[in-house]
């Protein structure tokens, strides 16, 4: 992210011939540990809501469980519509006919513009 490039150490014999090159590792042990920890943490999250699966899958949090100690409910003021997502969806619906075999392959973008 700061343009770091690994360096390579070259070793030569008495005649000046290259005998060995040792590249610096691209990842330190600490960096690897952090990335592995991030991967493990992300794997512990629900792919839809982003909350910890350990918490969201407990039987005592099941809405249909009469013995539940707590349940997930819609937050006050929800649901709400993201107008940007709505514009993306309108664009997708309007252009799906252009590529019926692979509508997901069409890229869409929206922008906020002043109303005339």
């Amino acid at each position: 992210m700061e343009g770091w490039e690994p360096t390579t150490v070259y070793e030569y014999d008495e005649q000046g011939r290259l005998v060995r090159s040792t590249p610096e590792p691209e990842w330190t042990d600490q960096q690897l540990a952090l990335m592995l920890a991030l991967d493990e943490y992300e794997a512990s999250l629900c792919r839809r809501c982003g909350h910890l699966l350990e918490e969201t899958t407990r039987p005592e949090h099941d809405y249909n469980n009469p013995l539940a100690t707590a349940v997930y409910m819609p937050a006050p003021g929800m649901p709400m519509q993201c107008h940007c997502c709505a514009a993306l969806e309108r664009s997708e619906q309007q252009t799906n006919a252009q590529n019926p075999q692979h509508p997901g392959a069409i890229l869409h973008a929206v922008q906020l513009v002043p109303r005339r």
Side-chain angles (χ1 to χ4, degrees):
M1 305 206 203
E2 295 180 2
W4 177 83
E5 289 288 331
T7 59
T8 302
V9 176
Y10 299 99
E11 295 180 42
Y12 300 90
D13 64 13
E14 299 82 28
Q15 286 80 34
R17 296 178 294 201
L18 179 64
V19 292
R20 183 181 337 195
S21 64
T22 309
E24 181 181 17
E26 292 189 40
W27 295 85
T28 66
D29 289 343
Q30 181 183 13
Q31 290 168 326
L32 283 173
L34 288 170
M35 293 307 292
L36 291 171
L38 176 61
D39 187 50
E40 187 176 321
Y41 169 73
E42 288 178 342
S44 73
L45 301 176
C46 172
R47 290 189 178 126
R48 181 163 188 215
C49 69
H51 291 134
L52 286 170
L53 288 168
E54 179 182 327
E55 180 76 18
T56 62
T57 58
R58 289 183 180 173
E60 63 266 26
H61 296 162
D62 183 352
Y63 181 79
N64 296 310
N65 179 357
L67 302 176
T69 58
V71 296
Y72 287 95
M73 300 292 290
M78 299 304 272
M80 71 173 87
Q81 176 173 300
C82 172
H83 302 299
C84 184
C85 290
L88 281 169
E89 191 166 319
R90 286 192 305 274
S91 177
E92 290 166 353
Q93 289 172 355
Q94 292 167 1
T95 59
N96 280 350
Q98 293 177 11
N99 192 356
Q101 287 185 326
H102 305 287
I106 298 175
L107 301 177
H108 300 265
V110 298
Q111 59 185 352
L112 184 62
V113 296
R115 181 168 271 182
R116 297 180 220 180

